[in-house]
Amino acid sequence: MKKAAALLLTLIALGGALGAQQQGAEALVDECAAYLAAFFQGRPDARVAVVALDDRAGLGDSGLQKLYQMLVARLEANRTIHFADLLVAVADGRAEFNLDRARELDFLVELRLVRSLDKVGLGLTVFSRLQDRVVALKYLERAIPAAERDLLQARSFAFAAMGFAKLLEFEAREGLMDIQSLPAADGTMQYYLYYPDEIVIYQAREAGLEKRFQFKLTWSRPYYPTRHPEGRLLLFRSGADLVLTAGGNFAPYSLVLTFRDGVWQEAGRVDFVPFRFVTLNGIPCLVGARWEEGRNFLKERIFFQPYGPTQPAGEGLMQKPVCAAMALDIAAADGQLQAVHAIDREYSYRMYGADLAESTPLPGKKGGALAALGGKWLALSDYRRSTDRLFFCDIRDGGLRPVYEAAVAGEVRFLAAGAWHDAPGFWAGVRQRDEDGGRLLVQFWGKANE
Amino acid sequence: MSRNARRLLAALTLPALALAGAIKPHYGGEIVVRLNEPSSFRLNTASYSNLILYSLIYENFFFLAPDGQISSNIFQEYRYDAAARTLLLTPRENLSFSNGKPLTAKNIQVSLKVFLSSDLFAASRLSKVVKNVRLNGEQVAVELLADRPDIVSLLTAPELVVLAEDEQSFSGLFYPQEWEKNQHLILRANPYYAGGRPYLDRVRVTFGDSPAPDLFLAAPGQFKESCLELDSGIYQNLYLCFLQPDIGQNTKIALFSLLKRFNEASGGRYRELSSLTSDDESPVAIRIKTLSPQKTAAILKTSEIRLYALSSLSFLEKDLTAFLKATNLTIETQFIDNSEFMAFLDSAAIKYVLVDRLFQRKAPPEEKLSRILKESSFNRFNAQYLRMLSELDEARFSNSPELLTEQIARISEAIVNDGFLFPLFQRNYSLYIRRSWPTLETDYYGRPLLQRVSQAHD
């Protein structure tokens, strides 16, 4: 008890210190927000966005992003203006914005942070699109002490207990396409690693995985050899059966296997690749998509197939249009379809609601791979080689709010929602290149406090 | 444009620039390749143009990279069992031809046997060491007469391809979809290609300059502004061949002189050739004194000459016919399909033939000479040449460069003295690709590897 009290006191003290340390940055942001509020006072319903943000004060990318987020919080709370958050990413001291929507705006705000002796200066320019000229200029400055700078520069994901952190990393054989997990009969978590020709099952150990067994997948013609194998594995329970479906871009069908008498037995096939098992209007359904045979993108259809012990195989297949996608996932919570998230062939993020009507938040947001964790989180990789990034976005309210960001050495090939021990999170297949050709790393990014 | 507008424009281009780093390659699109029009889809690798065309529709057993690395899309495993002196080839599972028909071990066995029975130098080299080719379940077992751990290197010949039972099935990256004679040929991506579907959807093979080709062959040192030049290392030698022993020496020299003059008249388009392989590597220079135009005309005017040429030399047809017509000599030209040439030999009394052979500069000269002797001596091949070939083999393994050079010189001398093959010209090739396309790689034989070519820069 004494110990707990001491810890609490330390936290309170630290919290107080942190609060004090952030005063400089907050004050600068407050002043900026106040100036903008006053400027837009006489211009109700003005559509405003920050379209440029440069750091010449040495705050670092994290510091720049935090300052921006503080400003956004204040501007979004301002009811007289319509503020649009167009931030896509911050890199190399410069923020990147989605400017596809710039035409819909009335005022564009440019911000520049500069160093002024021991202070940080903020240069602010407001450009009116209608008048095609700069309509306001303002310079503000505040002292931001070194300790506060350190705090600004500490990335959110540095706090593993709060954000997503890399909890596990191991090297895998080339060709790995997906990972899914399911508790075994004894309660231990089993991890299914899906390759085009086999599934290898591992069991969690304290700080790693231990191989349990593997089984071959037998495909038949037509078979489409591919340079870039992609596929999805789905594990679920249907009645008393444990069911596994596996498909990919190399076959026009997916295998459906059930676990009986200690072995996986083929129980049928479906003509698409199931991503989720959900209930629609009280009917259990496999929901999925179909890859273009032999290629690396998915066709512009979502398929729904009623599935159950009494359901005749192949009957009742329905399809709905979506965009052709480089990556796609279906968010479901409590067995109910929430949304379809996709990265289209132009690498733009797209979202479809439960009714499959498009309602893309953050239009212009780019991505490479993605995966949805229930209806809560969406992990999205950047679309760059060598120095990829992961964005963890909150999708609980049907939007897309980037919350955490992590740098990844290599390129993210696939993302899959899962769990490591008790921590929910995402599996990431990361390809690293080197002189010998490279290697495939599997990382688990988890959120321990959920 | 205001400063801010410029800034905005610059910022708007950022996402587009960032897309250049997109992690997935783009599937789709078309490349335009200019090649010579083939006579059929039956495998025929006699010319460099054909070598490229047929590499697109027929899959090789093995690929040889310029650095000597060997790889295969067809076999999931190949293993040499030294104790059994057997090479075991295991094809990948579920392979199909372009029309979806299964590609099995049986197709591999048959294709290998077809190759072994062909009249190619590479085939005769292989057949010397192969005892039997049999099926072993889903494997093909190649039994050897002697221990040859390097057997796979003998299977990298560009002519060793996977053939289907029917002529409408293809094993290569692409398959023919549409052929408009004298215009173009459309090849479509083979969805079942063993190495994984190519990124491109189509290859448009044009036989002329319209539309402007993205990939084409031409003499080296051109198109520096618009294209990347790839030194293919390939050259094509042209020979005048006398198939019958009763042709007088004067007639031979006169016809030879006439053809040399043809090159002069066409502005020296082709490089003069004074050896059987290449002038810079041959230990022997062959100098055949040409006759004056008057003397040539005097000798040839009384003869009725029909000059045959292989269809791989069809690029000569227009100019050569016009040149011969202008000489007022009664010389007719006739082009024969390469694949039909051997059959033609038996059925007609062909006396004069223009033939060509394609060589890779990196190949050793003794190998080239063996090919000439084996593939170009036709019905003049006799015990003497067979002995010379064996002696050349001996010299190759003697590790004595002097002995090897001496033997090459002896063979060259014998061929020219026997008077059945006179070297005429050499054509050098470079492969050009427009700069708007990503870097293209070639294999050891100078064939472009289109499988990795994607229209978008990824």
Side-chain angles (χ1 to χ4, degrees), chain A residues 102-167:
Chain A
R103 283 179 216 94
E104 301 163 13
L105 300 170
D106 301 320
F107 294 95
L108 310 177
V109 178
E110 290 191 1
L111 300 173
R112 180 175 297 171
L113 290 157
V114 294
R115 186 187 289 269
S116 167
L117 297 175
D118 59 337
K119 294 180 177 173
V120 171
L122 175 66
L124 184 158
T125 310
V126 182
F127 177 78
S128 165
R129 278 194 66 252
L130 299 175
Q131 297 175 49
D132 193 26
R133 67 182 182 90
V134 173
V135 289
L137 280 170
K138 182 74 178 169
Y139 178 79
L140 312 162
E141 66 176 31
R142 285 278 174 161
I144 301 184
E148 188 177 349
R149 282 168 182 269
D150 290 346
L151 184 62
L152 282 170
Q153 285 164 358
R155 285 172 174 269
S156 301
F157 57 75
F159 304 98
M162 296 297 290
F164 282 88
K166 188 164 69 178
L167 305 181

Side-chain angles (χ1 to χ4, degrees), chain B residues 105-174:
Chain B
K106 178 76 183 164
N107 296 106
I108 302 294
Q109 183 201 29
V110 171
S111 302
L112 186 50
K113 284 187 170 177
V114 167
F115 174 72
L116 286 170
S117 64
S118 70
D119 206 20
L120 296 163
F121 170 69
S124 72
R125 265 178 80 190
L126 184 62
S127 57
K128 276 183 195 169
V129 297
V130 172
K131 183 178 161 191
N132 189 21
V133 181
R134 61 180 171 79
L135 281 181
N136 183 10
E138 291 304 308
Q139 288 182 320
V140 177
V142 184
E143 294 173 351
L144 307 184
L145 291 162
D147 184 27
R148 284 294 297 263
D150 66 337
I151 178 66
V152 175
S153 66
L154 297 181
L155 301 178
T156 59
E159 297 89 355
L160 178 51
V161 298
V162 183
L163 300 167
E165 286 154 23
D166 70 272
E167 291 189 350
Q168 300 307 311
S169 307
F170 299 88
S171 55
L173 265 178
F174 299 91

Side-chain angles (χ1 to χ4, degrees), chain A residues 51-52 94-100 102-103 108 110 112 125-127 129 132 134 217-228 230 291 293-297 325-327 345-347 364 366 368-369 381-385 388 411-413, chain B residues 1-5 7-29 73 92-97 100-104 188-201 451-452 457-458:
Chain A
V51 294
R94 175 167 288 185
E96 185 186 325
F97 294 91
N98 165 30
L99 296 174
D100 290 351
R103 283 179 216 94
L108 310 177
E110 290 191 1
R112 180 175 297 171
T125 310
V126 182
F127 177 78
R129 278 194 66 252
D132 193 26
V134 173
L217 296 171
T218 308
W219 303 98
S220 59
R221 292 187 184 85
Y223 186 84
Y224 303 92
T226 171
R227 289 174 57 78
H228 308 282
E230 295 195 21
W291 265 276
E293 290 81 5
R295 304 195 218 187
N296 60 3
F297 60 93
M326 289 296 199
R345 288 198 72 195
E346 303 303 319
Y347 294 94
K366 297 279 182 180
S381 76
D382 205 350
Y383 56 111
R384 290 165 193 273
R385 289 186 193 278
D388 216 337
E411 62 185 68
V412 176
R413 286 291 175 92
Chain B
M1 188 188 279
S2 72
R3 196 163 145 254
N4 274 43
R7 269 195 217 163
L8 189 62
L9 185 68
L12 281 165
T13 60
L14 271 177
L17 291 174
L19 197 62
I23 62 167
K24 284 187 171 184
H26 175 79
Y27 277 83
N73 292 322
R92 289 190 170 157
E93 287 174 14
N94 293 320
L95 291 183
S96 305
F97 286 101
K101 288 191 177 173
L103 190 166
T104 63
R188 273 204 86 83
N190 175 0
Y192 303 106
Y193 179 61
R197 182 196 168 94
Y199 298 133
L200 293 166
D201 276 346
Q451 193 201 12
R452 294 170 207 166
H457 296 259
D458 59 321

